Amino acid sequence: MAVRKNQATLTAKEKRDFVDALLELKRQGRYDSYVSIHNTFIISDTDNGERTGHRSPSFLPWHRKFLLQFEQDLQSINPAVTLPYWDWTADRTATSSIWGPDFLGGNGRSSDGQVTTGPFAYSGGKWTLTVRPDSRNYLRRSLGGAVAALPTKAEAESVLAMATYDMAPWNSSSDGFRNHLEGWRGVNLHNRVHVWIGGHMATGMSPNDPAFWLHHCFIDKLWAEWQSRHPDRSYLPTGNTPDVVDLNETMKPWNNVTPADLLDHTKFYTYDTGF
């Protein structure tokens, strides 16, 4: 059983293995499809129309499947690799280990946001962006440039305490755990982290930044924690809901997996610790 670990506890070899698998997936031309898929759903997911990956109850199972498929692609290169998670309630600064030159590299330079350190710097020749919002083909970041602070542990705890998974109108104005975790309401967890990193993470093409996977792995871990704390509560809605994915409906783009299939993450992987 694969164990997903906190990036702050990874050994030097585990970091190298993860980075090398990312670079090889990119070299093979398999990485960029994830950027395209994510951007397609960001554009098509709307509050008043069909919504699957975002602004909807299936935000969490959709990304769980998205990460699982990506992790399996990494494991086709190195079977020992699992997705690490970034606990941004603990590692909260631009000098945290995640941004080290031996891992994801650091902040973008002030003039143009270009990441110039680490394995994903454009100058290294291994991370040229092909699915991008403009002509610039280098990775960009602006850590803390748009919002000053990442979410705190207390803020995450306040969302984990919410007992109802989701509720009508099942979009970005909904109350409940899912929408507060996604960040359209309340203390704003997931969305705020995207904006804090800035650059490509603040666009629909956010998987261009490998930080996407570590951020979403932690979001998935928080969902797993919520499931553990509220065993009598589960995914909603369960049926006959227009424009959103019900419990037993298949999700695009796979069309062969439902939210119900993904509720138990331990069929696929476990986490090293609780929240």
Side-chain angles (χ1 to χ4, degrees):
M1 176 65 67
V3 179
R4 293 181 175 178
K5 301 177 182 179
N6 188 328
Q7 62 82 28
T9 70
L10 295 181
T11 65
K13 183 179 187 305
E14 287 171 332
K15 288 183 178 181
R16 283 196 308 273
D17 286 349
F18 178 66
V19 167
D20 288 349
L22 286 169
L23 294 174
E24 179 60 16
L25 203 62
K26 178 77 166 172
R27 187 194 69 80
Q28 292 179 5
R30 298 162 64 193
Y31 188 97
D32 291 341
S33 64
Y34 288 93
V35 184
S36 296
I37 290 168
H38 189 267
N39 190 55
T40 295
F41 279 84
I42 282 279
I43 292 169
S44 64
D45 292 329
T46 63
D47 272 345
N48 299 310
E50 184 178 288
R51 48 201 183 274
T52 303
H54 310 85
R55 301 172 175 265
S56 64
S58 50
F59 166 73
L60 290 168
W62 190 91
H63 281 86
R64 180 167 281 181
K65 174 63 177 176
F66 194 57
L67 266 64
L68 184 60
Q69 181 177 303
F70 184 74
E71 186 173 56
Q72 291 167 343
D73 273 353
L74 293 177
Q75 290 166 348
S76 73
I77 295 166
N78 183 340
V81 168
T82 56
L83 285 176
Y85 63 89
W86 167 38
D87 180 354
W88 26 255
T89 71
D91 298 307
R92 303 175 47 75
T93 71
T95 58
S96 296
S97 59
I98 185 175
W99 310 118
D102 62 336
F103 201 34
L104 299 194
N107 199 6
R109 62 191 182 192
S110 58
S111 59
D112 58 5
Q114 182 176 166
V115 172
T116 60
T117 59
F120 307 103
Y122 178 74
S123 60
K126 296 181 178 180
W127 204 256
T128 300
L129 306 190
T130 60
V131 182
R132 54 189 193 243
D134 53 39
S135 62
R136 293 174 289 180
N137 58 3
Y138 49 82
L139 178 62
R140 288 180 286 122
R141 292 183 187 133
S142 179
L143 304 182
V147 290
L150 291 162
T152 65
K153 187 175 179 68
E155 287 172 329
E157 287 284 359
S158 72
V159 174
L160 288 169
M162 296 178 177
T164 301
Y165 177 82
D166 209 342
M167 62 184 68
W170 317 107
N171 61 20
S172 69
S173 65
S174 299
D175 208 351
F177 167 72
R178 184 276 310 170
N179 200 33
H180 283 257
L181 178 59
E182 190 172 354
W184 300 109
R185 287 191 69 174
V187 295
N188 184 357
L189 300 183
H190 158 266
N191 289 347
R192 195 198 322 177
V193 177
H194 275 271
V195 175
W196 185 89
I197 295 173
H200 288 98
M201 275 289 278
T203 75
M205 301 173 191
S206 48
N208 271 313
D209 192 333
F212 173 92
W213 306 105
L214 285 79
H215 169 38
H216 270 277
C217 196
F218 189 55
I219 292 295
D220 185 79
K221 186 175 188 289
L222 290 174
W223 182 27
E225 180 69 24
W226 180 87
Q227 291 176 297
S228 174
R229 295 189 190 189
H230 304 275
D232 58 336
R233 301 299 183 104
S234 189
Y235 183 93
L236 294 170
T238 58
N240 302 312
T241 315
D243 293 327
V244 302
V245 181
D246 292 317
L247 178 64
N248 293 297
E249 284 188 318
T250 58
M251 292 186 294
K252 297 175 181 179
W254 306 282
N255 299 316
N256 62 359
V257 63
T258 69
D261 296 330
L262 295 161
L263 296 184
D264 181 8
H265 72 282
T266 64
K267 295 186 296 184
F268 311 106
Y269 55 85
T270 59
Y271 285 105
D272 54 352
T273 64
F275 176 51

